[in-house]
Amino acid sequence: MNRPAPDLASFEDMARTVLTTLPPAFRAAAQDVALLVVDWPPDHLLQEMQIDDPLDLTGLYNGIPLTEKSQFDQPLGPDAIWIFREPILAEWRDRGDIELTDLIMHVVVHEYAHHFGWSDEDIASIDRWWE
């Protein structure tokens, strides 16, 4: 199946739209996390994580989860969520059975779950993928 892929700007818009679906209590706090949407995972991240194939990484949370943060932590930068367009598009094409917006939502929610320290039950209340 040959489906056209959105450009990077459109893909980023889809990822940012996911934030509007978060429960209000989380939506405001999510604004404190940088959302970075790029085509491919940077080489330094792949090396740090010992990942050989960049298609194996669709998203990444980089920071200290809220459930582990302390007032004594000295942040080196803002918490960030990376979303990788090309690996997500490859999975979407390979699967052929899911809408791209649903797959993007799944990856974005999963990465925010790392930030908020959400359980699987918490994730399932937002992202039906987990049911």
Side-chain angles (χ1 to χ4, degrees), residues 38-107:
V38 297
D39 279 324
W40 292 101
D43 288 337
H44 75 277
L45 289 178
L46 294 171
Q47 290 169 359
E48 285 174 26
M49 299 180 72
Q50 300 178 343
I51 296 174
D52 294 325
D53 186 349
L55 291 174
D56 289 342
L57 188 62
T58 56
L60 177 70
Y61 169 64
N62 188 3
I64 300 170
L66 291 179
T67 54
E68 298 174 20
K69 282 191 184 200
S70 162
Q71 65 187 23
F72 300 109
D73 286 331
Q74 294 297 314
L76 300 174
D79 288 354
I81 289 176
W82 293 78
I83 302 299
F84 305 116
R85 177 179 168 263
E86 290 295 339
I88 291 172
L89 289 174
E91 181 177 341
W92 171 62
R93 287 183 181 119
D94 287 348
R95 293 175 66 90
D97 65 347
I98 187 169
E99 293 296 323
L100 180 58
T101 53
D102 292 338
L103 183 55
I104 292 170
M105 174 178 266
H106 168 69
V107 174

Side-chain angles (χ1 to χ4, degrees), residues 19 22-35 61 64 66 69 78-81 112 115-118:
L19 299 179
L22 297 176
F26 292 110
R27 199 176 310 143
Q31 299 303 317
D32 294 335
V33 179
L35 181 59
Y61 169 64
I64 300 170
L66 291 179
K69 282 191 184 200
D79 288 354
I81 289 176
Y112 274 96
H115 173 68
F116 290 117
W118 292 344

